[in-house]
Structures are given as structure tokens and as C-alpha cells.
């Protein structure tokens, strides 16, 4: 039984790097490239954790998160927000929609991110 | 009988006039001089009244009675007149003795005048009758003549010795008046010696009174000038109504007796109605011609002050000046001229009734004017005509323009700015000394008012200019502000681009480098891995640079760092940072002496504090020579703060550059030599991060000996 992880990230390269690392750790990874796609994939795969970018085309990460939390099935999905904004407003906005980790991508290496994921999923 | 009735009428008029004069003098001045004058007037009244009664006397007894009645007054004349001359001049011991003798003799003669020894029998002549003089009367005449002579001697002496012009002319009028009285009036004694003479002596009291009245008005005799004006106006008004009314009624009485009563009522009422306007008219005429220098100084200045205070326009000032000064001085014309600095000539500002002044003003030579007003005093035309320094041309102009008086106004102390020109007085009187004094004060007032008005005008002009300037500047600022707002937006956008768009590809490089270095497939050799590590390190520098720039722009825009505090182990954090710098530490074989207790926990923003340590430790490793020691320790100070120290043995910071150390983009000279890279942002950001924790960062340094950096954080337990 593989733990499902959804990556919502509009930058193909970052999404790829993340998925490689997580797949190496044995997670089943799917990738969405915008918020709308993220919502539909989340519903489809019902992942245990979502790594979600904030600034994305079509639907941004915070809106997606708000939409997601409206569904009963999504209530317990763990979320780690990924962004390259150190802008505080985004953080406080995100905090409204349940507790989650907020990572500035460039400050973290992949190992650390995987560690955070594992911590969340209590593996 | 006709002659008698004229004499009677004339005497009655004199009597009336003298009574009034006596009353005025005694009512309005209680000095000795006024009292004596009134006494003299009383004697004159007795004399005239007695003379009138003599004319109507029926028998010898009556004649003798009224004659003695007259003598009862006249006997005292010489003594009182002498007394008067002393009051006008001065008393001394000799004069007092002479005066006492005069009064004693007067009483003596009063007593003997009751006897036949003085006078007996009646002399009848064409114009009247008189008792005949006896020995007592002869003696009395000698006494009388001596004291009259003494009187004139004293007054003449004063007249010749007096230096004050006004006092001198006052004395002159006394001498003139009393001469008339004594010499013409003296003829009244002639019938006593059986010399028949027309009673011209009866005219002398009136002439005397007129002379004295005139000098009261003109020279201020006995200080009753102001009151004199009022009485004379009333008297004149009354007389000029009474006489025509009397004549008309007399005529009606004689020929139309049946209409007498209604006409009497009509005249009575119309007289009552016309009294007041007539009085006003006489006042005006009296002021204009007889009292041209009679005004209340205080009142004049008060009025002018009051008017000028509310005048902030030059025109209004001139109007006020004319309005206030005209009724006081009654000049025929007034003008105000101004010296024009630029054209260096005088120009007309205001003119009332100077003919052709506007044309002739150009010919007034400023040199002449400067000569005249060198001492800044008012000057009259007479003085100018006598001034030999002034050109004859100027004198000629003054004469043809009929300028009588010139008053200088200086606004700036050293420059003559304005002149007030006065024409002659309506009365033809000269301007008195008092006039000049008042006008000088007035000129100062006018000068101040003009100055105020000019200032007000320039402030007003300046205000308008200022308003325009402000409006223009505001528009300019608004445009600039819009541009700035736009620029700010552009800048924010730029930062956003830097932050997001730059960081994203850098993150991509970072992560893929990491994946490669991990080398899961084991297909990369050692050299390739090492090169990848260099790519990773370079990329990390780039990420750090971007982060620093973002932090600085964050500080610059006035944003505060948001601090998310948590409890964390300080040593754990320091070890993480040391690990990041392990490459250089190992390479340089640096000793790290960390004395911080392993279990020390602080409550702060871990990421921010880590950033601070990263900065300090990376600096220390960079600028410390091989095999030296870096000390790290902490202690609690007395302000309930924990202070962290990092002490290196590096290059240190030159003394003169220490003040700039925390400035952004600052790098010490010796730092560049040691380590070429570096933005000079690290310490600037580190200090701001500490300050965001309500802490402070300091350092001590000596060049080539090393530096100590330390920062304080408040101790919070949570």
C-alpha cells in the first residue's frame, strides 16, 4: 500500500524534482500544474498529503485550499504549502485554512522536504 | 436830548460788554491777575453806571451823590491798576510797600471824598455836570498820576526787557489798552476843573475791553482763550438776532401796533429756531479767522491715531489726515508728496487745493529739500526764504505754489520719503510754534501709518504670489507623487518578480543538483560529484544574495519583520550553522570554542536567529586566519537580557570605518582584500533582525587583533 501524495506546482522542473525525491522514498506521486487540476486530481486520487504551490495559473494555491476544505472527504488531507514568496500576508491567509507547513522552496533542500512530509504522515 | 440818548445807548452797550468780559475773566481763571482785572472792570461798571445816572440827575443833590458814587470806585483805580501791573510782572519788597501805601491812600481819599475838602459845588456844562475839585481832589490827582506813571513804567520796562515774543506782545496790548483807558478816560477829570469836554471818556472802557478781548483771543491773555471763543460766539449770535428783532419790533410798534403781538411771537420763535445754526456758523467763522491755532492737542492726536489705525490704504490715510487736520489748522491747501527712489524726483501723492502742483512738482529740487530738512524739523516758508543755501529757483517755486509750511516724514531713518505741504491759513495767521510741534508729532504718526500700509500691501502682494507658487508647486508635487506611486508599484512588482521568478529557477537548480549529488544510480564519478558540489555552492550563494536583497528591500520599505517565536535549543541551531561552514573551518583548521550550555533554550524566531548566526559565523570563518580560535559564549546581563558573543582573532575592522559597519552595502577595506565576495548586506540585516526581537547588536574590534560581535535578546519564558 503506497501513500498517495499530490504535488500541485506550475513549475515543471520543481514538480519533477519533488516527484523524483518522493517517489524514491516510496510514495505514489501525482502532479497537477494548476489549482483547478489540483482540485480534480485530489478528488480523483484522494491523497494523504498535498504539496501545494501558491502562485499558479487558473487557480492559486490558497483558493484551491479553501475549495478543498469545503469537501468532507478532504477534511483530513495534510497540506504543506510551498512558495517562493516570503510575503507574510500569504502566510496569514493560508493559516486561516487549517494548520499546515509553509515552506519557502529555495530555503529547503529536498531531503528536508521529504523529512517534513514523513513527519506529517507520521511514518 | 438826541446827543444824550446816543451817549446813553453807547454807555449801555459798553456796560453790557464790560460786565460780560468781567464775568468771563473771573469765572474762568481764579488767578490774581484775573481777579484784579475783574475788580478793574467793576470800577469801570461803577463809573459808566454813575455817569449814566449823572446824565439823568434832576438836582444838585443827585449830581453830588452820583459823582461821589463814581469816585468811590475811581479812587481805587490807581492802586488796583498798579497791583495788576505787579501781578503781570513780579512783586518785590519795594513794590509791596508802594502797593500798601497806594491802598492806604486810596482809603484815605475815600474818606475825605465825603467832605467839602475834596469837592464842592457843581459845574454845569453842555454835555453834563460835575462837582468842582478842591484841595483834596488836587492831592488825589497827584497820587493818581504817580501811580499811573508807576504802572506804565513797570509795564514798559517789562516790554523792553521781555525776550519771549508772545509775552512781549501781550505786554504791548496791556499798555495799549490801559493807555486808552487812562488817557482818554482821564479826560473825565477835566470837568472837575471847569473844563467842558465832550464825554469821549465814556468810549474808553469799550475800546479798552475790545483791545483786551482781542489780545485774549489772539495771544491767549489770562488763559481763557477757549472759553472766550464760546462766549463771543454766543454773544455774537445773540446780538445778531436781538438787534434786527429789536429794530423790526420797534418799527411794528410804531406803525402797526395791531400786529405787534403775532409778529412778536413769530420773531421770537424764528429767533429760537435760527439761534443754533447761527451759532454753528459763527463757531465756524470764529475758528477759521480768529482761533486758527486753537485746538485740543490731545484730542487731535487721539482722533488722528484712531483714524490712522484703521487705515491700511495710502489713499485712506491721506483722507484721514486732511479730515482731522483741516478743522484744527484751517489751512487753505494740503498736499503729500513722495520721493521716488528710482527716478530720483518728487512726485505727487495727494493734493487738496494746491493749484497746478502736479505740474510744478517736477521742478522741486531734491538737493534743496535735503538742505532744508537736514535736522528733520518742520520748516515754514519764511525760514526757507531766509536760507541762503537754498537756490532762488526753489524759493520762487515755493512762493508761486503758496506753500507755507513743509513737514518731513522719514520712514527709513536715513531717508526722507514724504513731505506734507501746507498752504497758508484761511485767517492769514502764521503757523505758531505749537502748530509746528503738533504737526511734527502728526508727521511721525502719518509716517508710521504709511509704513504699515506699504508693508500690508507688500504682504498682500507676497501672499498672492505665494498662493500661486503653492498652487503651482502642489500641482507639480501631485504629478510627481503620481509618478512616485507608479514607480513604487513598479518596484513592488519588480521585487515580486525577483522573489518569485528568480527563486523558482534557483530552487530548480538546487534541487536537481542535490538529486545528482546523491547519485542514486552510482554512475557519476568522484570528480563529477565534486563539480556538482561547486554548482550547488555557487547556486546557494546566489540564493542567499537574492534573499539578502529581498530582506533589505523589506527593511527599506518600512516593513517590519514578522517574528514567529518558538522555544528552541540554541546549541542545536549553532551546530547546524557550523555544519554549513564546515568546509572552510576544516580547511583553515580553525578552533571553535563553544561555551554555550547544551540545554540553553530561548524563545525567539528560530529562522531569523539562525540567519543572524549564519551571518556572524560565516564572517568569522572568512576573515580569521588559519589555526586561530573562534569563541562563542553567552551570559545574562542586568537588564534581563541574554547576550551572545562571538569572538574571532581575525583581521578586525579599521577604527575609522567602524562607525559605518552596520550600514548596508558597507564593506571594510581590509575585508575586500581578504575575501573578494560579499554584498555588505549581512550585518545590516542581522542587526535589523535582532532589533525586530527588541534586542540590539554591538561589536568591538581592533584592526589585526580580531572582533567581538555580540547581540542581546530579551529573556522570555514560554
Amino acid at each position: 500500500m503506497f501513500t498517495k501524495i499530490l504535488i500541485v506546482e506550475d513549475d515543471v522542473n520543481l514538480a519533477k524534482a519533488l516527484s523524483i525525491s518522493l517517489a524514491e522514498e516510496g510514495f505514489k506521486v501525482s502532479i497537477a500544474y494548476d489549482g483547478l487540476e489540483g482540485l480534480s486530481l485530489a478528488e480523483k486520487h484522494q491523497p494523504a498529503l498535498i504539496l501545494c504551490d501558491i502562485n499558479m495559473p487558473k487557480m492559486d494555491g490558497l483558493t484551491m485550499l479553501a475549495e478543498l476544505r469545503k469537501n468532507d472527504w478532504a477534511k483530513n488531507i495534510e497540506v504543506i504549502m510551498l512558495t517562493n514568496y516570503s510575503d507574510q500576508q500569504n502566510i496569514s491567509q493560508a493559516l486561516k485554512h487549517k494548520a499546515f507547513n509553509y515552506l519557502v522552496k529555495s530555503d529547503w533542500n529536498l531531503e528536508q522536504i521529504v523529512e517534513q512530509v514523513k513527519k506529517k504522515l507520521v511514518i | 436830548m438826541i446827543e444824550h440818548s446816543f451817549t446813553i445807548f453807547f454807555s449801555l452797550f459798553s456796560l453790557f460788554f464790560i460786565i460780560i468780559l468781567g464775568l468771563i475773566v473771573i469765572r474762568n481763571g481764579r488767578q490774581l491777575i484775573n481777579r484784579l482785572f475783574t475788580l478793574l472792570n467793576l470800577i469801570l461798571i461803577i463809573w459808566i453806571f454813575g455817569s449814566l445816572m449823572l446824565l439823568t440827575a434832576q438836582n444838585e443833590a443827585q449830581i453830588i451823590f452820583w459823582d461821589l458814587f463814581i469816585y468811590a470806585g475811581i479812587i481805587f483805580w490807581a492802586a488796583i491798576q498798579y497791583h495788576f501791573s505787579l501781578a503781570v510782572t513780579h512783586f518785590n519788597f519795594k513794590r509791596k510797600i508802594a502797593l500798601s501805601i497806594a491802598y492806604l491812600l486810596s482809603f484815605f481819599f475815600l474818606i475825605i471824598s465825603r467832605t467839602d475838602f475834596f469837592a464842592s459845588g457843581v459845574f454845569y456844562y453842555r454835555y453834563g455836570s460835575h462837582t468842582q475839585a478842591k484841595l483834596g481832589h488836587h492831592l488825589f490827582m497827584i497820587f493818581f498820576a504817580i501811580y499811573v506813571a508807576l504802572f506804565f513804567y513797570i509795564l514798559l520796562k517789562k516790554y523792553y526787557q521781555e525776550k519771549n515774543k508772545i509775552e512781549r506782545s501781550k505786554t504791548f496790548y496791556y499798555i495799549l489798552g490801559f493807555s486808552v483807558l487812562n488817557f482818554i478816560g482821564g479826560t473825565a477829570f477835566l470837568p472837575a476843573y471847569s473844563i467842558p469836554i465832550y464825554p469821549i471818556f465814556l468810549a474808553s472802557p469799550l475800546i479798552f475791553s475790545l483791545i483786551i478781548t482781542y489780545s485774549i483771543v489772539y495771544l491767549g491773555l489770562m488763559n481763557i482763550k477757549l472759553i472766550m471763543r464760546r462766549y463771543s460766539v454766543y454773544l455774537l449770535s445773540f446780538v445778531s438776532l436781538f438787534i434786527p428783532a429789536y429794530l423790526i419790533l420797534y418799527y411794528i410798534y410804531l406803525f402797526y401796533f395791531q400786529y405787534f403781538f403775532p409778529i412778536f411771537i413769530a420773531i421770537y420763535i424764528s429767533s429760537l429756531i435760527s439761534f443754533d445754526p447761527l451759532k454753528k456758523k459763527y463757531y465756524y467763522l470764529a475758528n477759521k479767522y480768529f482761533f486758527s491755532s486753537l485746538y485740543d492737542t490731545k484730542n487731535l492726536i487721539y482722533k488722528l491715531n484712531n483714524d490712522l489705525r484703521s487705515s491700511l490704504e495710502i489713499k485712506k490715510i491721506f483722507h484721514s489726515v486732511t479730515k482731522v487736520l483741516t478743522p484744527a489748522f484751517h489751512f487753505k491747501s494740503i498736499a503729500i508728496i513722495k520721493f521716488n527712489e528710482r527716478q530720483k524726483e518728487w512726485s505727487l501723492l495727494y493734493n487738496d487745493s494746491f493749484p497746478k502742483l502736479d505740474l510744478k512738482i517736477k521742478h522741486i529740487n531734491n538737493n534743496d529739500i535735503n538742505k532744508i530738512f537736514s535736522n528733520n524739523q518742520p520748516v515754514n516758508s519764511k525760514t526757507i526764504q531766509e536760507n541762503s543755501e537754498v537756490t532762488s529757483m526753489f524759493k520762487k517755486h515755493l512762493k508761486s505754489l503758496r506753500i507755507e509750511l513743509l513737514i518731513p516724514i522719514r520712514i527709513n531713518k536715513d531717508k526722507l520719503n514724504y513731505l506734507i505741504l501746507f498752504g497758508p491759513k484761511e485767517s492769514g495767521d502764521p503757523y505758531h510754534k505749537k502748530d509746528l510741534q503738533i504737526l511734527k508729532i502728526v508727521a511721525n504718526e502719518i509716517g508710521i501709518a504709511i509704513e504699515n500700509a506699504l508693508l500690508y500691501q507688500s504682504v498682500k502682494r507676497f501672499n498672492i504670489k505665494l498662493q500661486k507658487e503653492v498652487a503651482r508647486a502642489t500641482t507639480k508635487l501631485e504629478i510627481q507623487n503620481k509618478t512616485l506611486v507608479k514607480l513604487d508599484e513598479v518596484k513592488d512588482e519588480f521585487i515580486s518578480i525577483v522573489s518569485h521568478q528568480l527563486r523558482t529557477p534557483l530552487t530548480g537548480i538546487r534541487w536537481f543538483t542535490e538529486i545528482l549529488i546523491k547519485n542514486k544510480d552510482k554512475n557519476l564519478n568522484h570528480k563529477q560529484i565534486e563539480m556538482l558540489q561547486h554548482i550547488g555552492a555557487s547556486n546557494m550563494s546566489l540564493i542567499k544574495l537574492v534573499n539578502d536583497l529581498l530582506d533589505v528591500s523589506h527593511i527599506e520599505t518600512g516593513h517590519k519583520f514578522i517574528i514567529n517565536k518558538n522555544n528552541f535549543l540554541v546549541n542545536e541551531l549553532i551546530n547546524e550553522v557550523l555544519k554549513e561552514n564546515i568546509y572552510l573551518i576544516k580547511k583553515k583548521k580553525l578552533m571553535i570554542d563553544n561555551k554555550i550550555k547544551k540545554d540553553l533554550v530561548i524563545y525567539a524566531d528560530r529562522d531569523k536567529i539562525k540567519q543572524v548566526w549564519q551571518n556572524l559565523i560565516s564572517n568569522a570563518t572568512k576573515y580569521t586566519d588559519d589555526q586561530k580560535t573562534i569563541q562563542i559564549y553567552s551570559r545574562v546581563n542586568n537588564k534581563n537580557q541574554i547576550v551572545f558573543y562571538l569572538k574571532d582573532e581575525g583581521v578586525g575592522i579599521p577604527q575609522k570605518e567602524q562607525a559605518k559597519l552596520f550600514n548596508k552595502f558597507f564593506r571594510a577595506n581590509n575585508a575586500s582584500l581578504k575575501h573578494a565576495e560579499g554584498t555588505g548586506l549581512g550585518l545590516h540585516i542581522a542587526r535589523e533582525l535582532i532589533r525586530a526581537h527588541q534586542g540590539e547588536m554591538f561589536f568591538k574590534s581592533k584592526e589585526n587583533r580580531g572582533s567581538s560581535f555580540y547581540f542581546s535578546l530579551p529573556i522570555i519564558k514560554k
Side-chain angles (χ1 to χ4, degrees), chain A residues 13 84 106-110, chain B residues 503-504 510-512 514 547:
Chain A
N13 304 312
N84 264 334
S106 64
D107 290 351
W108 295 72
N109 62 35
L110 284 171
Chain B
R503 272 168 158 186
T504 302
R510 177 180 185 172
W511 287 352
F512 277 106
E514 280 168 17
N547 284 349

Side-chain angles (χ1 to χ4, degrees), chain A residues 11 13-14 16-18 20-21 24 55 84-86 88 104-111 113, chain B residues 496 499-500 503-505 507-508 510-512 514-515 518 520 540 543 547 550 554 562 564 608:
Chain A
D11 188 279
N13 304 312
L14 295 194
K16 188 78 185 167
L18 282 171
I20 290 170
S21 304
E24 276 174 1
N55 203 327
N84 264 334
Y85 282 103
S86 24
Q88 303 284 341
V104 175
K105 287 178 271 190
S106 64
D107 290 351
W108 295 72
N109 62 35
L110 284 171
E111 255 175 64
I113 293 173
Chain B
S496 155
S499 123
H500 189 246
R503 272 168 158 186
T504 302
T507 310
R510 177 180 185 172
W511 287 352
F512 277 106
E514 280 168 17
I515 291 168
K518 257 185 167 177
K520 285 267 172 171
M540 279 313 291
I543 288 173
N547 284 349
L550 280 172
H554 195 77
I562 291 185
N564 293 316
K608 303 281 193 296

